[in-house]
Amino acid sequence: MPMNIDITQILTWLSQAPQLMGEPLNWNYLPSYAGWSLTIPKSETRTDILGNSRTFIQLKITRRCSIQSNADRLAVVSALEDLAAWAAENPPEHARLRVSGLPEFTSRSSSGTEDISIILNLEE
């Protein structure tokens, strides 16, 4: 049975995470100064020689915020780790979730905002 999860379902599922604290999780968009974003860098369905299909979806969750100190940066990293732990404990129905590595620095702007991301892999 192929995984029938569309982007709306993924956003709805992840938006239940308490680490978002009610902030919206934006699809393929990161607000200018602060916010959360979800992108899907990779998605594929593999079929074995018996015709069994498995779907893999890579989710990239990014947090953008103003960083004034290392403590601010560590708080963002901690929030992303907690979000990944929540997602692993509460995966979508009929799916497995694996965290791919640790949160990592993605970019910094001249205004002092930084982007930090984590990768989650969903598999049917």
Side-chain angles (χ1 to χ4, degrees), residues 62-123:
T62 303
R63 174 70 168 151
R64 174 175 285 168
C65 62
S66 180
I67 301 292
Q68 304 298 321
S69 67
N70 281 336
D72 293 341
R73 193 171 292 110
L74 290 172
V76 173
V77 167
S78 179
L80 284 166
E81 288 174 336
D82 292 346
L83 176 62
W86 176 89
E89 291 172 6
N90 302 284
E93 190 175 340
H94 305 296
R96 287 183 298 228
L97 186 127
R98 183 177 53 85
V99 180
S100 179
L102 299 170
E104 62 181 30
F105 171 81
T106 308
S107 67
R108 175 181 298 152
S109 74
S110 60
S111 66
T113 60
E114 292 185 12
D115 299 344
I116 301 174
S117 301
I118 195 162
I119 302 290
L120 308 176
N121 295 296
L122 273 179
E123 176 186 339

Side-chain angles (χ1 to χ4, degrees), residues 18-100:
Q19 292 76 17
L20 295 179
M21 298 179 289
E23 292 182 56
L25 179 60
N26 300 292
W27 164 241
N28 218 14
Y29 167 75
L30 200 50
S32 298
Y33 297 103
W36 295 89
S37 176
L38 171 68
T39 56
I40 298 179
K42 184 177 181 181
S43 175
E44 64 183 356
T45 299
R46 298 179 189 164
T47 305
D48 65 20
I49 60 172
L50 299 175
N52 300 313
S53 296
R54 293 174 56 176
T55 302
F56 300 88
I57 302 172
Q58 187 178 69
L59 307 172
K60 181 177 181 181
I61 301 170
T62 303
R63 174 70 168 151
R64 174 175 285 168
C65 62
S66 180
I67 301 292
Q68 304 298 321
S69 67
N70 281 336
D72 293 341
R73 193 171 292 110
L74 290 172
V76 173
V77 167
S78 179
L80 284 166
E81 288 174 336
D82 292 346
L83 176 62
W86 176 89
E89 291 172 6
N90 302 284
E93 190 175 340
H94 305 296
R96 287 183 298 228
L97 186 127
R98 183 177 53 85
V99 180
S100 179

